[in-house]
Amino acid sequence: MRGEFVGPACGHHGPYIPDVLFWSVILFFTTFFLSSFLKQFKTKLYFPTKVRSTISDFAVFLTIMIMVLVDYLVGIPSPKLNVPDRFQVRTVTSEFPLVWGFKLFNLKKKSK
């Protein structure tokens, strides 16, 4: 009864990583509620008005920075956005199949 996982999809180095979905849900809801709390921070009586106003104005930015730091410190390999190292313009027709549909059903006016 001491089974072992076999194959490339099993184990900690495969495509399945445990707890990633749960961690992503926790990050999502914590970000939402922390941002909402900091946005309403303007009406609290904790700090002077200028500090409360600044915290409320930068609530979303502060929340994102805090949650990125928490995600980094916890160490669960949650999915990240892959940003290209350079910007390049691509042709629209090769990237979007919807454009192909418009080209197939070209609705130009018929010449008389």
Side-chain angles (χ1 to χ4, degrees), residues 14-89:
Y16 172 73
I17 302 171
D19 300 329
V20 171
L21 175 65
F22 184 60
W23 179 242
S24 297
V25 170
I26 288 174
L27 282 176
F28 170 75
F29 283 112
T30 307
T31 303
F32 176 77
F33 288 121
L34 184 61
S35 180
S36 298
F37 173 76
L38 290 178
K39 205 65 173 151
Q40 296 172 357
F41 200 70
K42 193 182 291 188
T43 60
K44 309 293 184 202
L45 299 174
Y46 295 125
F47 294 108
T49 306
K50 186 71 174 169
V51 174
R52 288 182 306 197
S53 178
T54 304
I55 290 174
S56 178
D57 289 343
F58 293 100
V60 175
F61 177 75
L62 289 172
T63 302
I64 291 172
M65 290 297 116
I66 290 169
M67 295 313 294
V68 165
L69 180 66
V70 167
D71 182 38
Y72 176 75
L73 292 176
V74 169
I76 295 177
S78 59
K80 307 291 189 287
L81 178 64
N82 294 326
V83 179
D85 57 346
R86 61 188 165 98
F87 180 75
Q88 101 185 36
V89 179

Side-chain angles (χ1 to χ4, degrees), residues 1-5:
M1 295 302 234
R2 296 179 188 261
E4 292 183 18
F5 292 113

